[in-house]
Amino acid sequence: MAKILNEIHNILLPMVCFGCNAQLSRGERVLCTVCRHELPLTDHNFVEENLVDRIFYGRIPIKKGASFLFFAKQGIVKQLLHHLKYKNQEHIGAFLGEWYGALLENEDYLKTVDIVIPVPLHHKKTKKRGYNQVTLFAQHIALAIQAEYREDILVKKRNVKTQTKKDRQLRWENTRNIFTLSDVLIPNPKHILLVDDVITTGATIEACAQTLMEMEDVEISVLSMAVVP
C-alpha cells in the first residue's frame, strides 16, 4: 500500500531534489545537479588503505573495505538515507547503486567476488518497512561487478532497536549472535562482498562477517553506501 501511495504522490506532485527540495529538471533523478556535485564522495578504491579498512583492524580479518559517501549528522547524505529508510523511497538505493557500480565495474580486485550479500533485516522489520533498504543498492553493485546476488544466505534472528545513538560497546553487545546462516543450499564462495547502508562503529558488519566466516575458506570484503568519518 505504501508503494502505491508513493506512486500516486509522484504523479500528482512534481519530483523534487532530496537534497534541497528544488524541482528536478528533465534528466535529473533523485538529486539536482548542484546537490549531486556537493555529495561528499570518499574516493575509496580497493587498492589503497582507507577509513573502512581501519575500522575493522584487530576485529575481523576482512580482505578489503570501502564506502561510497561520507556521512554527517547534517547534510545531503543524511537526507538521502533518511528518505531511503523511513520515507518509502526505495529507489534511492538503486540510484546510489547504479552510480557507485559504474565506478567499481572496472576494479580488478572485485573480479574475484563470487557473491554479494546485503546485511539482512529481521523479517518483522522487513514486513513493516516493506523492503530492505540495502537490497537495490547491493543488487546494482552485484550487476556491475558481475557477481551473484544472494539475500537468502544470511538471516537476522533477533529484532533489535535502532542503534544510531549507541556507542561501540553497546552496539557490539546488541549484535552478538543475532545473525545465522540459513538452511538453503549454500555454494562454496571464495570471496563474499558484504554490503550495508551506513558503517559507524562497524558492530553490525563485524557480527555478520563472523557468521559468514563459519563457511570454510571464505574471504570477506565490505562495502557500504556511507561511512561516518
Side-chain angles (χ1 to χ4, degrees):
M1 178 58 72
K3 291 184 178 180
I4 294 174
L5 292 175
N6 184 52
E7 290 175 2
I8 294 173
H9 177 270
N10 290 339
I11 293 172
L12 297 178
L13 296 174
M15 297 297 293
V16 298
C17 171
F18 285 99
C20 66
N21 291 320
Q23 184 171 339
L24 294 179
S25 301
R26 185 182 298 274
E28 293 178 335
R29 292 173 51 216
V30 180
L31 293 173
C32 68
T33 302
V34 172
C35 286
R36 180 166 176 143
H37 284 136
E38 289 182 354
L39 275 180
L41 275 62
T42 65
D43 292 326
H44 288 169
N45 57 48
F46 284 85
V47 177
E48 299 174 351
E49 177 195 274
N50 60 62
L51 170 62
V52 178
D53 295 318
R54 292 191 289 271
I55 286 174
F56 297 104
Y57 282 167
R59 296 168 62 183
I60 49 172
I62 65 166
K63 188 173 182 181
K64 196 70 179 71
S67 188
F68 184 33
L69 304 165
F70 286 118
F71 183 91
K73 292 182 178 179
Q74 302 295 331
I76 299 173
V77 177
K78 182 179 180 179
Q79 285 283 95
L80 275 177
L81 298 185
H82 179 79
H83 280 86
L84 170 61
K85 293 179 69 172
Y86 306 115
K87 299 295 183 179
N88 298 310
Q89 302 298 325
E90 187 181 8
H91 65 285
I92 291 174
F95 170 76
L96 295 175
E98 289 174 14
W99 186 354
Y100 200 23
L103 300 177
L104 296 176
E105 61 183 356
N106 294 318
E107 284 270 3
D108 289 337
Y109 175 90
L110 294 176
K111 295 186 186 303
T112 63
V113 172
D114 305 293
I115 295 176
V116 174
I117 297 178
V119 169
L121 294 181
H122 188 268
H123 67 89
K124 289 183 178 178
K125 184 169 287 187
T126 303
K127 184 177 180 180
K128 180 179 179 180
R129 183 174 296 168
Y131 57 92
N132 180 343
Q133 72 273 11
V134 184
T135 295
L136 292 182
F137 178 79
Q139 286 178 343
H140 281 86
I141 296 298
L143 182 65
I145 66 174
Q146 300 180 39
E148 183 181 4
Y149 172 81
R150 294 288 295 269
E151 59 182 18
D152 59 342
I153 293 175
L154 192 61
V155 177
K156 190 171 186 179
K157 297 185 293 184
R158 283 192 290 115
N159 195 17
V160 295
K161 295 182 179 180
T162 182
Q163 306 207 76
T164 53
K165 296 183 179 180
K166 295 184 175 68
D167 61 20
R168 174 176 168 179
Q169 180 64 27
L170 286 175
R171 283 172 178 258
W172 180 78
E173 290 175 357
N174 279 354
T175 54
R176 282 191 304 168
N177 303 316
I178 68 170
F179 297 101
T180 187
L181 297 176
S182 70
D183 294 329
V184 301
L185 180 61
I186 300 175
N188 295 313
K190 291 181 173 59
H191 190 181
I192 291 174
L193 184 62
L194 181 62
V195 181
D196 202 2
D197 52 1
V198 182
I199 297 176
T200 50
T201 66
T204 299
I205 287 287
E206 181 178 358
C208 288
Q210 287 175 339
T211 300
L212 291 171
M213 285 188 293
E214 293 174 11
M215 293 186 279
E216 294 183 0
D217 301 321
V218 65
E219 293 181 310
I220 297 171
S221 291
V222 171
L223 187 72
S224 69
M225 298 180 195
V227 61
V228 177

